[in-house]
Amino acid sequence: MKWDLTFFYDSPENEQIKKDFENALEGAKKLKEKYYPILSSKELSAKEVKNFLEELEKLIEKPYFAMQYASLLYSANTQDKTAQKLVAMGQDYLTKGEMELSFWKPVLLSHSLEKLEELKNSPELEKYKHVLEVLIEEKPHVLSEDAEKALSALEPAGRRAFSKLYEKLVSSYTFEIEIDGELKTMTGAEIRSLRQHPDKNLRQKAMKMFFERYEKDKIILESTFNSVAKYYDTESKLRNYPEPISMRNMANEVKDEIVKMVIDVTTEQTPIVHKYYKWKRDFLGYDITLADIYAPLKPVKKEISFEDAKKLVLDAYYEFDKEIGDIVKSFFDENRIDSEIQPGKRGGAFCSYNIPNYKPFILLNYTGNMRDVMTLAHELGHGVHGTLSSKQSLLNYHTPLTMAEVASVFGEMLVMDKLLKELEGEEKQMFIASKIEDMFATMFRQNMFARFEIQSHKMIDENGMASWEELSELYEKELKIMFGDSVKIPEEYKYEWSTIPHMLAVPFYVYAYNFANLLVIALYEKYLEEGKAFIPKYKELLSSGGNAAPEKLLEKLDIDITKKEFWEKGFKYIERELINKL
């Protein structure tokens, strides 16, 4: 399936795209001219702040819409020159716009805390209460107007530029491998999918080839990682955050101690990973390596067509709720999914929604295995979230990353539950094993990435840089903590850190997956206990978008994320409901 981007513009050559960017930039200049004196005034009223925020939302919708189009075009083919130019142009206009608009936070925050609290609690600003709550929380970390302007100006040539370089480089990789006597040329997504191939030798050969391709570019990848870490960490110091990850935690609206608790609890639970893989080793009857951790239990390779995957996922969502089922169906009906494997296409999967217009778009690299079915369910969960939260205005639309994965992982749980009820015998056993492995990938593996990120940033800060070899050794230590002696670690796996795009595109993003997975297990258990009575509360949670802090949103569902016991529950569920049953 390929997406239809004419929803945005009829073609990348459409002159309206540039006009939308230009008009927004002119609008940003006028907005600053109009509101700088108003927001600076000691007599600033709640009504004036409300008017400003409403005009700000209206102004940024068009360029966000245009930028989404450019980014989707580029993701479908990162080698396409037109898409590359469009993204570069869009980023240039957005940066100029951000420079013009960088005044409002420092100006508002120049008012006393008493004044800001008074504005926050005024009836006129009820809709924007959480925007002001976040602003007040950020007060110690917002810089002067000139400094904020300088950071906005430097961003495209700094961290963002290195992330784009990385994306463009690794998207160009192709791999030649012999399968069943036939030489095939594969993309990164296709070669990685061979981890589920029944042939042990092919799995190991494919992954060795994959990681060694990254090692060939180690000079570029080492420099890129160091530059991104330095840029991010310098900004966190300028903003007076205690640790680099604290800047991400603030954006995620979660306290440092809660994130540390989640990371520590997950690390403590690694014995269940060792337990499972020792069982898998005994089941398969040979010593397994990291190339075998996603291997099927039986030597069968079942292809699932995209149509069958669509039916399975749609049925699961409809069985949960008709409104949510209708939202999921609209993605297929309106061609808002791009699932075909193409040269130059961005790897992995994502769901894109920039503004609250009820129309998210999904990118996949569908290779026909069960994990791809679950990825489809996952991304459609994001799509449901992006659609339901379109009831919010733009400044309240996006959730922090800690909540952004909730609907996606919940969607996977719905499909998993459906399959567990329908499958029998060997098929059921194979499915449970693949689900355990998926959960380990979302929880323990992402936790391992988070630990690596924290330590690598510290190493770079203390030593001025970290070499490819130092980063690879650090990563190897983390692999040994996660897997213990349950699997053998091939030499090339220590380069895996360089294949994780999130660490470059959004530093310290990765813990959000584990956070959300544990959170969703708790939500799903509530659904199983309460049945249909749970659904309106769940839909209200998704419809809230980012209009309140995660702790407050979850309080309505009787969830307390400050307690260690809460986070431990998810691991008990996996052991009880999946590992022990297997």
Side-chain angles (χ1 to χ4, degrees):
M1 186 174 180
K2 287 188 76 68
W3 53 29
D4 177 11
L5 298 183
T6 56
F7 168 75
F8 296 91
Y9 301 94
D10 58 8
S11 88
E13 280 80 27
N14 191 324
E15 290 176 10
Q16 189 60 44
I17 302 170
K18 191 173 183 181
K19 280 181 189 168
D20 285 344
F21 282 125
E22 283 174 345
N23 293 340
L25 181 56
E26 282 308 305
K29 290 174 184 173
K30 287 175 185 171
L31 195 72
K32 180 180 179 179
E33 201 178 296
K34 177 180 175 183
Y35 278 100
Y36 198 107
I38 295 171
L39 296 181
S40 308
S41 169
K42 287 182 181 177
E43 280 73 51
L44 176 66
S45 69
K47 190 173 189 306
E48 287 168 329
V49 175
K50 184 190 177 194
N51 290 344
F52 167 73
L53 293 174
E54 284 178 344
E55 285 187 45
L56 176 67
E57 285 181 322
K58 193 174 178 185
L59 172 74
I60 58 182
E61 277 207 354
K62 275 286 185 188
Y64 278 17
F65 183 80
M67 194 66 213
Q68 186 181 7
Y69 174 65
S71 299
L72 292 173
L73 269 180
Y74 175 74
S75 297
N77 185 0
T78 61
Q79 308 305 308
D80 181 77
K81 297 294 179 194
T82 304
Q84 287 175 9
K85 285 176 183 172
L86 207 55
V87 165
M89 180 187 76
Q91 283 178 343
D92 188 48
Y93 273 106
L94 284 186
T95 300
K96 288 172 182 170
E98 282 163 11
M99 284 168 64
E100 294 296 335
L101 297 173
S102 61
F103 77 95
W104 75 272
K105 285 187 181 182
V107 170
L108 261 184
L109 288 172
S110 66
H111 292 282
S112 68
L113 201 54
E114 291 74 23
K115 175 74 173 176
L116 292 169
E117 289 286 346
E118 181 193 315
L119 289 168
K120 182 191 81 176
N121 295 317
S122 64
E124 293 100 320
L125 282 164
E126 178 59 35
K127 185 169 99 173
Y128 298 109
K129 184 173 184 175
H130 187 55
V131 174
L132 290 163
E133 280 173 350
V134 170
L135 199 61
I136 291 167
E137 191 83 19
E138 287 177 348
K139 190 172 167 65
H141 309 291
V142 173
L143 305 174
S144 69
E145 187 191 334
D146 284 345
E148 291 291 348
K149 193 172 182 179
L151 280 175
S152 293
L154 290 169
E155 177 68 17
R159 193 158 58 83
R160 201 186 296 166
F162 282 105
S163 175
K164 283 287 171 201
L165 168 67
Y166 174 85
E167 199 174 83
K168 202 183 287 188
L169 175 70
V170 301
S171 295
S172 71
Y173 291 169
T174 56
F175 304 85
E176 284 200 348
I177 191 164
E178 192 177 302
I179 303 175
D180 301 326
E182 186 185 342
L183 195 65
K184 292 192 175 181
T185 302
M186 292 187 153
T187 64
E190 288 173 308
I191 203 93
R192 279 167 61 86
S193 75
L194 293 176
R195 291 176 301 172
Q196 289 102 49
H197 197 280
D199 184 339
K200 175 174 74 165
N201 295 326
L202 181 63
R203 290 195 297 268
Q204 292 174 9
K205 184 181 171 185
M207 293 317 292
K208 185 175 172 65
M209 186 183 287
F210 180 70
F211 292 128
E212 286 180 348
R213 179 65 189 86
Y214 280 77
E215 196 215 1
K216 280 182 185 173
D217 285 327
K218 68 180 181 181
I219 295 171
I220 300 171
L221 298 175
E222 172 199 291
S223 299
T224 301
F225 188 87
N226 274 271
S227 298
V228 167
K230 278 185 174 182
Y231 195 100
Y232 188 87
D233 296 359
T234 302
E235 184 181 343
S236 76
K237 282 177 185 171
L238 288 170
R239 295 189 181 282
N240 298 310
Y241 284 102
E243 303 285 341
I245 196 172
S246 306
M247 188 159 75
R248 178 67 57 212
N249 296 343
M250 176 69 79
N252 284 345
E253 299 181 48
V254 63
K255 295 181 179 72
D256 284 7
E257 53 269 28
I258 293 177
V259 173
K260 187 179 185 305
M261 188 194 299
V262 174
I263 290 171
D264 289 346
V265 166
T266 308
T267 308
E268 285 166 16
Q269 297 291 330
T270 50
I272 71 170
V273 178
H274 311 163
K275 176 183 175 181
Y276 169 76
Y277 280 111
K278 282 175 181 173
W279 173 88
K280 184 167 186 173
R281 177 187 65 197
D282 294 343
F283 185 92
L284 292 175
Y286 55 82
D287 285 341
I288 59 176
T289 76
L290 281 174
D292 305 313
I293 59 173
Y294 303 117
L297 295 184
K298 298 285 179 184
V300 291
K301 190 171 187 293
K302 187 181 178 184
E303 289 280 341
I304 302 159
S305 72
F306 189 75
E307 278 303 309
D308 287 344
K310 170 185 169 181
K311 184 180 186 311
L312 174 61
V313 171
L314 262 179
D315 287 350
Y317 274 107
Y318 266 119
E319 283 167 23
F320 177 67
D321 180 72
K322 185 182 183 301
E323 182 190 3
I324 286 178
D326 286 342
I327 291 169
V328 169
K329 186 172 180 289
S330 70
F331 280 84
F332 298 99
D333 293 348
E334 297 169 9
N335 294 319
R336 286 189 279 123
I337 300 175
D338 195 301
S339 64
E340 286 185 22
I341 302 275
Q342 296 286 347
K345 185 175 176 180
R346 181 193 184 277
F350 65 75
C351 180
S352 166
Y353 46 96
N354 281 12
I355 60 173
N357 62 2
Y358 296 87
K359 301 291 179 191
F361 278 71
I362 287 170
L363 177 137
L364 301 169
N365 283 275
Y366 190 82
T367 61
N369 59 47
M370 184 53 79
R371 279 190 175 81
D372 290 345
V373 178
M374 299 311 279
T375 301
L376 178 62
H378 180 101
E379 298 306 334
L380 283 164
H382 280 306
V384 168
H385 203 167
T387 305
L388 286 175
S389 58
S390 289
K391 294 166 187 170
Q392 302 295 328
S393 67
L394 183 50
L395 292 175
N396 287 317
Y397 180 49
H398 290 281
T399 64
L401 294 176
T402 37
M403 297 295 288
E405 296 295 332
V406 167
S408 53
V409 179
F410 196 91
E412 285 189 66
M413 296 285 279
L414 290 172
V415 174
M416 179 185 84
D417 220 21
K418 179 175 173 58
L419 283 164
L420 285 174
K421 286 170 189 164
E422 293 178 2
L423 296 174
E424 290 177 356
E426 204 173 83
E427 266 198 306
K428 184 170 186 174
Q429 187 183 41
M430 287 177 72
F431 178 68
I432 292 174
S434 76
K435 263 325 287 173
I436 291 168
E437 290 159 14
D438 284 347
M439 284 185 163
F440 284 177
T442 309
M443 296 158 79
F444 292 101
R445 188 165 176 265
Q446 301 296 336
N447 194 63
M448 175 176 69
F449 295 160
R451 284 171 55 91
F452 168 81
E453 257 190 299
I454 292 165
Q455 292 171 85
S456 61
H457 279 240
K458 191 177 179 187
M459 187 189 282
I460 291 164
D461 181 49
E462 288 174 354
N463 304 325
M465 71 158 290
S467 69
W468 172 269
E469 289 73 23
E470 286 170 329
L471 291 166
S472 300
E473 280 168 25
L474 176 60
Y475 188 76
E476 191 175 33
K477 282 178 189 169
E478 287 302 318
L479 283 170
K480 286 174 181 173
I481 291 168
M482 177 172 165
F483 292 99
D485 62 353
S486 64
V487 302
K488 290 184 175 178
I489 300 171
E491 178 72 11
E492 65 274 4
Y493 262 84
K494 65 184 182 186
Y495 310 140
E496 186 178 31
W497 63 270
S498 66
T499 71
I500 314 302
H502 289 91
M503 291 198 275
L504 294 155
V506 194
F508 301 107
Y509 179 111
V510 288
Y511 76 76
Y513 286 108
N514 183 32
F515 191 104
N517 215 82
L518 290 166
L519 189 54
V520 167
I521 290 170
L523 286 171
Y524 203 76
E525 288 197 284
K526 279 190 172 293
Y527 165 53
L528 296 177
E529 285 165 20
E530 298 176 18
K532 293 291 180 187
F534 169 83
I535 296 170
K537 289 186 275 187
Y538 176 68
K539 287 187 344 191
E540 187 193 341
L541 176 72
L542 301 190
S543 299
S544 300
N547 74 2
E551 276 186 60
K552 282 188 183 173
L553 290 173
L554 293 164
E555 271 171 19
K556 295 177 183 176
L557 291 127
D558 299 320
I559 284 174
D560 184 355
I561 61 172
T562 65
K563 297 279 190 290
K564 186 182 179 187
E565 306 77 63
F566 167 76
W567 298 107
E568 288 171 334
K569 274 183 186 174
F571 299 103
K572 287 173 183 167
Y573 171 89
I574 291 170
E575 196 157 18
R576 183 184 71 243
E577 296 298 324
L578 297 171
I579 294 176
N580 291 348
K581 285 183 179 176
L582 188 70

